[in-house]
Amino acid sequence: MPMRLKTPMPSLDGATEWFNDEGFKPEDLAGHPVLIHFWAVSCHICHEVMDEVVSYVHAYKDHGLKVVGIHMPKQESDLDVKKVKKDIQQYSIVQPVAVDNTHAITDAFENQFVPAFFLFDKEGKLTYRAAGDKGFKNVKPKIEELLGINQ
């Protein structure tokens, strides 16, 4: 069953590796709106939307939004951390990225999809979740609604 709205944000414990985490501690997310983005190196749609997801880091940082990527392997070849590093470089991913090779974070979020998006308010409660390219179309408006930005 998918995580219900208003559910508190699960722990980000269990990552097998982190990238872009200099100075980042998951507890620093408290008191901020947060977008958790699940993706995989083998996911074509993930690659199609990555530039826009990265743009949210820059566009909304002054509004307090924090973005965290979770690399969720969907197949055996996704376990290769070198591929994750390559995607981080190729798509200029600047947000912290957890490599979830054991699906500890994925399971905590009750997630089965990539790409998947979980938006939490300043109190750490889930306000929106979506998956795939159709769900992605609503992510930006939901972020702006949460941040109180006029659309």
Side-chain angles (χ1 to χ4, degrees):
M1 172 176 290
M3 190 185 332
R4 294 176 182 255
L5 296 180
K6 306 242 185 251
T7 300
M9 187 167 83
S11 167
L12 297 178
D13 291 342
T16 53
E17 196 161 345
W18 279 91
F19 294 104
N20 298 339
D21 64 332
E22 301 80 24
F24 171 76
K25 294 181 289 213
E27 54 270 19
D28 293 341
L29 298 174
H32 293 275
V34 177
L35 176 65
I36 302 292
H37 167 225
F38 287 85
W39 63 283
V41 295
S42 63
C43 168
H44 178 70
I45 296 169
C46 296
H47 291 144
E48 287 180 352
V49 302
M50 191 63 79
D51 287 341
E52 190 166 345
V53 172
V54 172
S55 79
Y56 299 160
V57 175
H58 306 292
Y60 302 117
K61 71 179 176 188
D62 290 343
H63 296 277
L65 182 70
K66 304 290 184 183
V67 179
V68 178
I70 310 294
H71 181 265
M72 174 186 147
K74 292 297 287 178
Q75 57 192 30
E76 182 94 18
S77 63
D78 289 351
L79 297 170
D80 184 349
V81 175
K82 289 178 191 165
K83 290 181 179 182
V84 178
K85 284 182 180 178
K86 183 180 175 203
D87 269 12
I88 289 171
Q89 201 169 31
Q90 181 175 346
Y91 293 96
S92 302
I93 298 171
V94 295
Q95 64 269 28
V97 174
V99 177
D100 191 26
N101 280 354
T102 63
H103 281 202
I105 300 169
T106 300
D107 292 346
F109 278 74
E110 302 171 13
N111 183 41
Q112 301 174 3
F113 306 103
V114 290
F117 307 91
F118 292 76
L119 186 60
F120 295 88
D121 63 16
K122 290 179 183 180
E123 288 75 45
K125 304 282 192 221
L126 182 65
T127 62
Y128 180 72
R129 68 179 186 296
D133 53 347
K134 287 183 174 62
F136 178 68
K137 291 176 183 173
N138 292 319
V139 171
K140 183 176 180 178
K142 290 295 184 179
I143 289 171
E144 292 181 350
E145 179 183 318
L146 179 65
L147 298 176
I149 297 171
N150 293 335
Q151 300 175 356

